[in-house]
Amino acid sequence: MAGACAVTALAVLLPLASGTTGRTASADLAGGHPGGAAAAAPALPGADTCKDPEASLRPNGTDGPAIARIKAAGKLVAGVDQNSFNWGYRDPATGELTGFDIDLVRAIAADVLGDPDAVIYRAIPTSERIPALKEGRVDIVVRTMTINCKRLEDVAFSTAYFEAGQQVLAPKKSGITGYDASLKGKRICTAAGSTGEAALRNESFGSETMTVPNQLDCLVRLQLGQVDGIVTDNALAAGQAAQDPSVELVGTPFTREFYGVAMNKQSTDLVRRVNKVLENYRAGGGGSAWAASYERHLRADLRGTGVPPAPKYRD
């Protein structure tokens, strides 16, 4: 585990302060499907009450107020993670942000501004994703964010760009077999504001739940022996298991979830533009930009063949 802790320590979080508004630079940073199991997994009871939460606005390349604001600023402000291996993290060799989510941010910036590097990255914890959008501190959030009905009350989403599911990450030979009765009496960690937290609130199986601001904090606590297991997205957990060979995913995914790009509810023109980007990003099957990013960042640690979810539209 010492090696994994060393890797973790290289990803230093620069949080986005809650009181920040506009495009201040104080918190700026320089610079499909994971497998067959999740597709058959049931949805979390009571998680969604609206119809087709993944359905978004149809793509359109026409500029509107949100696009005009971004162009006037000359930068796309993106809320991201910088410590989720494979998704949004600092490459210890280069110090640069990289990952599947970062590739998508760059594609959006290239379409809107003509430059994939015209981005201000702001690191935000899980619990700050929605407040950052509502308060105008970021234009988009691309941070393994699951689309669901509760979140749609506060923010808008693009069409889905990845499918995942909640699963349990635990030390090998821990006796934990999944999201089941084997959790009784165990200390289980999850990120505040995550779907994992909602799952454990709905059914803890007699475990004691610890919530932390960022999902990676759970891995650190697991490595330090402060918790016995983690409930999180299996797509994120696969990267953590790759970093730390002493832990593994156990059981099967117990939810079916879709990641989307989150935006302010008033930015309908931006939602349509991002959906246009995603249409192009998915196009071409195995030769698509989506597939190239999956091959580069995810295939080595995820089971099955990566395929992007088909888009759904509601207008």
Side-chain angles (χ1 to χ4, degrees):
M1 285 192 186
C5 286
V7 173
T8 300
L10 288 170
V12 180
L13 180 66
L14 299 180
L16 176 62
S18 298
T20 305
T21 57
R23 297 173 183 268
T24 54
S26 61
D28 296 349
L29 306 179
H33 197 290
L44 180 66
D48 281 327
T49 55
C50 60
K51 183 179 180 181
D52 288 334
E54 298 86 29
S56 184
L57 300 174
R58 288 196 177 275
N60 191 313
T62 304
D63 289 2
I67 296 293
R69 184 183 68 249
I70 293 168
K71 286 186 173 181
K75 295 284 186 180
L76 175 71
V77 183
V80 298
D81 199 349
Q82 67 163 3
N83 53 26
S84 287
F85 186 58
N86 293 336
W87 291 90
Y89 70 103
R90 287 203 175 275
D91 185 329
T94 65
E96 297 295 320
L97 277 173
T98 188
F100 191 80
D101 280 346
I102 304 303
D103 283 356
L104 180 52
V105 171
R106 290 172 56 81
I108 295 169
D111 185 89
V112 174
L113 295 167
D115 181 0
D117 295 317
V119 182
I120 295 173
Y121 293 103
R122 292 184 173 171
I124 51 176
T126 305
S127 58
E128 278 293 302
R129 293 178 298 191
I130 289 176
L133 285 166
K134 294 179 72 173
E135 295 164 14
R137 292 181 269 147
V138 296
D139 298 313
I140 60 174
V141 168
V142 187
R143 195 186 182 286
T144 58
M145 189 168 179
T146 300
I147 305 166
N148 63 37
C149 296
K150 179 64 176 174
R151 289 172 179 165
L152 283 168
E153 295 174 5
D154 296 306
V155 298
F157 280 98
S158 69
T159 55
Y161 68 86
F162 198 85
E163 183 178 340
Q166 293 292 304
Q167 201 168 346
V168 178
L169 184 73
K172 293 177 179 178
K173 300 180 181 179
S174 67
I176 296 175
T177 57
Y179 183 65
D180 53 32
S182 67
L183 297 182
K184 185 175 181 179
K186 303 291 188 181
R187 300 162 299 172
I188 304 300
C189 188
T190 192
S194 68
T195 46
E197 181 188 25
L200 288 165
R201 191 183 304 119
N202 181 72
E203 175 56 81
S204 69
F205 291 103
S207 64
E208 176 186 343
T209 303
M210 171 188 288
T211 58
V212 294
N214 283 294
Q215 201 276 332
L216 186 66
D217 296 336
C218 284
L219 181 61
V220 174
R221 280 161 175 74
L222 188 66
Q223 292 168 336
L224 294 174
Q226 296 174 356
V227 297
D228 303 303
I230 302 169
V231 171
T232 187
D233 297 5
N234 58 353
L236 289 173
Q240 293 179 354
Q243 289 178 286
D244 186 346
S246 70
V247 301
E248 63 182 351
L249 281 163
V250 293
T252 58
F254 58 90
T255 65
R256 188 180 183 188
E257 302 175 10
F258 297 89
Y259 297 160
V261 179
M263 290 155 278
N264 188 285
K265 289 187 76 170
Q266 306 305 314
S267 301
T268 55
D269 60 314
L270 181 57
V271 175
R272 292 185 187 277
R273 186 64 168 266
V274 170
N275 283 339
K276 173 180 172 289
V277 173
L278 284 170
E279 285 281 293
N280 296 330
Y281 203 64
R282 289 183 287 246
S288 68
W290 189 100
S293 184
Y294 182 92
E295 187 72 29
R296 184 162 53 250
H297 298 295
L298 303 178
R299 183 179 297 281
D301 298 317
L302 290 177
R303 299 173 184 173
T305 301
V307 178
K312 294 182 180 179
Y313 299 110
R314 57 180 171 85
D315 67 338

